[in-house]
Amino acid sequence: MDVYEIIAWCKEKNVALENAVVLSNVPLDITDTVIYRVLDTVKGTGKTKVHGRCSDKTGREQFVLVETSKRVSEISFPVLIGIPDEIGPWSTQVLSATSPSSGSSKGEEFHTKLMSFLKQEGKSLADIQNVASPALTLNTELVSAINSLVQKCQTASPVEAQNYRKLRTFSGLTPTPNGEEDYEVWAEHTTHILEEWQCSDNVKKQRLVECLRGPAADIVRFVKVENPSATSCDYLKALDTAFGPTENASDLMVKFRNTFQEKGEKLSVYIIKLDKLLHSVLRKGGLKSSELNRLRIEQIIEGSSR
């Protein structure tokens, strides 16, 4: 089960992400009583509650959503839990920051992040070698050379600086705090702005993170931990899963195709209505931004001619 599915499930069951644990490989006939017995073998969980079950792709086993009274980041959840020679083992999945890695894994993580960054910026290791002298090894000089390249790639061009508009703050708290907008208004504005910015995705992600607070910031942090190479679109998709409409992209597209101009409705109002639906589909990953104008024009012609 991926991070987006877990976020949606927690939203549906009203379970805080920081208190959520998903068990997998659980047989279909297992009762809640047995699940609680297994959970009791993990120290420090506090009180636990089973909130939901859903079958996996095979249909032979299931996922189980569990809420803990303590934050999962404070609990040393093993990767596998069970009762030896009796029950399990079952896999566990939590959306919390991982523990510090060993020196070897840190090196692998750095290499992965570096290669991902260079790919996004259209660079290669040769560009680093051009900045650093051939004799350099992995020392402070090479680190400085890499840092210099990163700063050059991340520096916004004059055009980017001119187009910069600070994004509106969003926390995801209910009721909506004073000075904030509800999710749909915020998401529509943010999507438009990100489309307009002619800058790298790293800059977009940075500016998006800057405007988030509270639960919304936590969700993006979870996505970043789960997938360090996630894009700004991935961030928006996770936020939309947590705070947006419950319909999926297909349902929203059907709704879009069946939205027609009402009698007496101004064309400008109709277009705004279509635009909101289109951007909801976009945030759900149901279309590419390059398709927006074509779909909008097609539906305006179809919907306003009736």
Side-chain angles (χ1 to χ4, degrees), residues 11-256:
K11 177 185 177 183
E12 178 187 350
K13 299 298 183 180
N14 197 28
V15 176
L17 292 173
E18 58 267 26
N19 298 97
V21 181
V22 174
L23 308 179
S24 55
N25 311 120
V26 181
L28 296 175
D29 59 350
I30 289 293
T31 64
D32 286 359
T33 301
V34 175
I35 293 174
Y36 289 130
R37 280 182 58 200
V38 173
L39 290 170
D40 287 341
T41 64
V42 182
K43 295 181 180 180
T45 57
K47 294 182 179 179
T48 57
K49 183 178 181 180
V50 174
H51 275 272
R53 301 164 178 251
C54 69
S55 299
D56 62 11
K57 293 180 180 179
T58 67
R60 295 189 294 270
E61 295 178 330
Q62 63 181 328
F63 297 103
V64 179
L65 176 62
V66 177
E67 181 182 26
T68 62
S69 59
K70 293 184 179 180
R71 290 174 176 264
V72 292
S73 58
E74 301 171 359
I75 305 169
S76 299
F77 252 102
V79 177
L80 298 174
I81 62 174
I83 300 176
D85 301 323
E86 186 179 348
I87 303 169
W90 305 335
S91 301
T92 65
Q93 189 173 359
V94 297
L95 291 181
S96 61
T98 56
S99 58
S101 304
S102 64
S104 175
S105 60
K106 281 184 177 179
E108 293 174 359
E109 180 182 0
F110 171 78
H111 181 269
T112 300
K113 289 183 177 180
L114 174 61
M115 296 306 296
S116 175
F117 168 77
L118 291 175
K119 182 178 180 180
Q120 290 177 3
E121 298 299 334
K123 304 291 182 180
S124 67
L125 287 175
D127 295 292
I128 295 179
Q129 294 169 355
N130 291 334
V131 176
S133 64
L136 287 180
T137 56
L138 187 56
N139 53 25
T140 55
E141 291 180 275
L142 180 54
V143 172
S144 298
I146 294 174
N147 185 55
S148 175
L149 175 63
V150 171
Q151 289 179 349
K152 287 179 181 179
C153 291
Q154 289 184 334
T155 300
S157 66
V159 174
E160 291 172 2
Q162 292 172 4
N163 289 338
Y164 174 72
R165 282 186 285 168
K166 190 173 182 180
L167 296 173
R168 299 168 184 171
T169 301
F170 178 72
S171 65
L173 295 172
T174 304
T176 304
N178 291 333
E180 289 189 22
E181 299 163 327
D182 63 31
Y183 175 75
E184 282 299 313
V185 175
W186 176 86
E188 184 180 1
H189 171 264
T190 301
T191 303
H192 276 300
I193 296 301
L194 291 180
E195 287 173 4
E196 291 176 4
W197 280 341
Q198 300 298 314
C199 58
S200 68
D201 195 63
N202 281 339
V203 175
K204 292 181 180 182
K205 289 193 294 184
Q206 178 184 346
R207 293 174 180 173
L208 180 58
V209 170
E210 286 173 355
C211 78
L212 299 176
R213 304 288 185 274
D218 289 339
I219 286 172
V220 168
R221 178 169 59 83
F222 292 144
V223 173
K224 188 175 181 180
V225 170
E226 185 81 8
N227 179 16
S229 61
T231 66
S232 59
C233 289
D234 292 328
Y235 289 176
L236 289 174
K237 183 179 178 182
L239 291 170
D240 203 64
T241 300
F243 305 110
T246 56
E247 300 102 319
N248 58 33
S250 298
D251 293 336
L252 289 169
M253 181 56 75
V254 171
K255 187 175 181 180
F256 169 78

Side-chain angles (χ1 to χ4, degrees), residues 291-305:
E291 300 176 295
L292 285 173
N293 286 336
R294 177 181 61 81
L295 291 171
R296 185 187 295 113
I297 292 173
E298 287 178 357
Q299 191 59 29
I300 289 173
I301 295 174
E302 172 70 17
S304 59
S305 62

